[in-house]
Amino acid sequence: MSESDKAAMTTNAATLDVAVRRLQASEASGESREELFRLFVESVQDYAVFMLDTRGNVATWNVGAQRIKGYLAHEIIGSHFSRFYTEEELRAGKCELELRGAAEVGRFEDEGWRVRKDGTHFWANVVISAVRSTDGTLIGFSKITRDLTERKRAEEERTARVAAEAANRAKDEFLAILGHELRNPLAPIVTALQLIRLRDRGQIPREYTVIDRQVQHMMRLVDDLLDVSRITAGKIELRKRPVDVREAVAKAIETVSSLLEQRQHHLEVEAPDEPVMVDADESRLGQVFTNLMTNAAKYTECGGHIQIRISATAAEVSIAVCDDGNGIEPQLLPRVFNLFVQGQRGSERTEGGLGIGLPLARSLAELHGGSIEAQSAGAGSGSTFTVQLPLAGASREKPIAALALLPNRAGDGGAQRRILVVDDNEDARQMLAAILTMQGYNVQSASDGPEALQIVKTFAPDVAILDIGLPVMDGFELASRLRDELGPMPRLIALTGYGQRNDRERSKAAGFSVHLVKPVDIEMLIDNLALDSPALS
């Protein structure tokens, strides 16, 4: 019950109490019961209580009717009660329907929008009762109206909230499925490209570079879509440690270097000589800088200039990404960090986008306790995006950059290790098996659970890499069956297109020590194939 409902009950209870006391005293005073009842009705403030004649004209008017509907008695008595109804209900014949219903069965109740004297609408509960003489002749109608606008709005807000929550759940489920379905075909493409890179070493054809660049772009789109969904749902968890901002910026430059080279941009970096440490999730911080640099590269004409300036004060570090590109129009600038908002792009622009890079960058910066601001003098004047982050109190040595080529680690620490790969995507399975074989592993592969169970009768794997979304039996059931068949379990690695937090938790509960999302980073996979390799979450 709402506060207004409680208040109405209290007020009317008090009024009724007064009326009852007067009724008890009526014999002594000679005051009639009819007069007391009239006084009671007229004094009720939280209900509109009035009479209609047989044609629907207002015959009486109480204080509650005046308060709720806004009319004084002399302004409304004699007028038809249709004055309280909306145009839509009048066209639908609602007034006639209500009076006819009350006359036929004695009572009519309804809820709907009604109109006050000032034209505003309120949500009303209406009860119309037929009033008959002692011989049964219809002499009019009593009408009681209650203002339930507050309750109606609360219900609408509750319904809207439930609908929004359902829509969010449906969106998250859709994005999870979308991510899985997009990652599945990307996985064999990425693995095949990595296989070419390892096999041909320094003789990489230009076509490889083009395919690799476009695949990486699509992977970033998929990751950004899923990250936006996770942030919106509050499911992003940062793994913070001291990070040198200069190193994070350098890695972001490496990530977008192919785009910078393709568009022949001139890049200039200004940074302090000493480390600039922040407490951050290195991967997520890299996303912020990568998205800002990618945005600058896309919206700057070929041969343009991009400048990155890193400066620090005693409390915070500022990272500015400046370009002399298209700029941002004044009307767009306040909305540039809104989801799916994009600037004008010429027909010659081939780099795609969904308008999620900047919103994602802002959300990640804020999760780090920082902020992002956008500045531009207008169209054609370039743009500057400035990230501000609080400095960390501790320092840390600069991390060693990852090796460009994979070492062969199949024989580390002893005999050649045996790997079982199970994936129903034939291209993904064959490419992964080929690249692992090239690394010196003894590899067997299967397309589903039953085939895998046949293989392990004669082949005892040290590590089993299982797709989760398998036909016949999924990866979780296969893991359980392998446990039954082999006794000493091989180390289980989940390789799947599903990468949400609950997917990882389910993998861990099923006995998987590592959960990798397609397309897999081969170096990360190789690192985790060692029997003594620590598990990744």
Side-chain angles (χ1 to χ4, degrees), residues 15 22 31 34-44:
T15 304
R22 292 189 65 178
E31 193 171 16
E34 290 79 8
E35 178 64 13
L36 282 174
F37 182 74
R38 182 186 65 78
L39 292 172
F40 167 67
V41 169
E42 290 181 353
S43 66
V44 172

Side-chain angles (χ1 to χ4, degrees), residues 6 9 27 96 99 101 198 242 269 280 293 297 304 306-307 340-341 380 461 477 484 526:
K6 294 178 182 177
M9 291 181 64
E27 292 182 2
E96 294 78 5
L99 294 183
L198 290 172
V269 180
M293 293 180 201
I306 297 174
Q307 184 183 48
F340 304 127
V341 171
E477 183 181 352
D484 296 338
I526 296 297

Side-chain angles (χ1 to χ4, degrees), residues 144-218:
I144 301 175
T145 301
R146 186 178 177 193
D147 184 354
L148 298 180
T149 306
E150 184 178 335
R151 190 195 73 180
K152 175 66 174 176
R153 286 175 179 162
E155 288 175 353
E156 289 177 343
E157 289 173 1
R158 195 160 48 244
T159 300
R161 185 167 57 251
V162 170
E165 290 170 354
N168 274 334
R169 286 194 298 272
K171 176 202 67 179
D172 290 343
E173 291 171 3
F174 169 76
L175 288 176
I177 294 172
L178 176 65
H180 177 268
E181 293 303 315
L182 289 176
R183 281 170 171 157
N184 266 338
L186 281 173
I189 299 174
V190 171
T191 307
L193 291 171
Q194 292 172 326
L195 181 59
I196 294 171
R197 177 169 167 264
L198 290 172
R199 185 186 61 207
D200 297 343
R201 298 286 173 162
Q203 300 176 357
I204 305 297
R206 179 179 178 275
E207 290 81 2
Y208 166 91
T209 305
V210 173
I211 296 172
D212 181 60
R213 182 170 61 247
Q214 298 303 323
V215 167
Q216 294 298 325
H217 178 64
M218 190 166 187

Side-chain angles (χ1 to χ4, degrees), residues 159-393:
T159 300
R161 185 167 57 251
V162 170
E165 290 170 354
N168 274 334
R169 286 194 298 272
K171 176 202 67 179
D172 290 343
E173 291 171 3
F174 169 76
L175 288 176
I177 294 172
L178 176 65
H180 177 268
E181 293 303 315
L182 289 176
R183 281 170 171 157
N184 266 338
L186 281 173
I189 299 174
V190 171
T191 307
L193 291 171
Q194 292 172 326
L195 181 59
I196 294 171
R197 177 169 167 264
L198 290 172
R199 185 186 61 207
D200 297 343
R201 298 286 173 162
Q203 300 176 357
I204 305 297
R206 179 179 178 275
E207 290 81 2
Y208 166 91
T209 305
V210 173
I211 296 172
D212 181 60
R213 182 170 61 247
Q214 298 303 323
V215 167
Q216 294 298 325
H217 178 64
M218 190 166 187
M219 287 169 57
R220 284 195 298 272
L221 288 178
V222 174
D223 290 340
D224 282 356
L225 269 175
L226 296 177
D227 280 341
V228 166
S229 174
R230 294 188 192 108
I231 289 175
T232 302
K235 296 179 180 178
I236 284 285
E237 292 184 3
L238 300 182
R239 299 180 180 181
K240 292 184 177 181
R241 66 175 184 83
V243 174
D244 187 349
V245 169
R246 302 175 309 162
E247 181 67 22
V249 169
K251 289 182 178 179
I253 292 173
E254 183 180 351
T255 301
V256 300
S257 59
S258 59
L259 179 58
L260 296 173
E261 292 171 4
Q262 179 194 12
R263 299 186 64 77
Q264 299 177 329
H265 289 317
H266 303 280
L267 177 65
E268 179 183 347
V269 180
E270 295 180 5
D273 294 330
E274 299 298 322
V276 182
M277 307 305 296
V278 295
D279 189 25
D281 183 316
E282 185 175 14
S283 175
R284 296 300 185 183
L285 189 59
Q287 277 184 275
V288 175
F289 301 141
T290 298
N291 284 352
L292 293 181
M293 293 180 201
T294 300
N295 202 63
K298 280 200 242 180
Y299 287 90
T300 300
E301 298 299 329
C302 293
H305 297 77
I306 297 174
Q307 184 183 48
I308 301 170
R309 298 193 302 266
I310 303 173
S311 58
T313 65
E316 65 181 14
V317 58
S318 175
I319 305 95
V321 180
C322 313
D323 64 68
D324 57 1
N326 292 358
I328 305 172
E329 295 180 355
Q331 64 269 27
L332 180 63
L333 194 59
R335 301 184 295 111
V336 75
F337 289 106
N338 292 351
L339 196 59
F340 304 127
V341 171
Q342 292 179 296
Q344 294 295 323
R345 307 180 67 187
S347 59
E348 75 280 1
R349 303 297 292 275
T350 57
E351 288 292 335
L354 298 175
I356 58 179
L358 290 179
L360 180 59
R362 180 184 63 176
S363 297
L364 290 173
E366 290 175 349
L367 286 174
H368 282 86
S371 63
I372 297 183
E373 292 183 355
Q375 293 177 317
S376 177
S381 300
S383 306
T384 297
F385 288 85
T386 304
V387 181
Q388 290 183 313
L389 299 168
L391 290 175

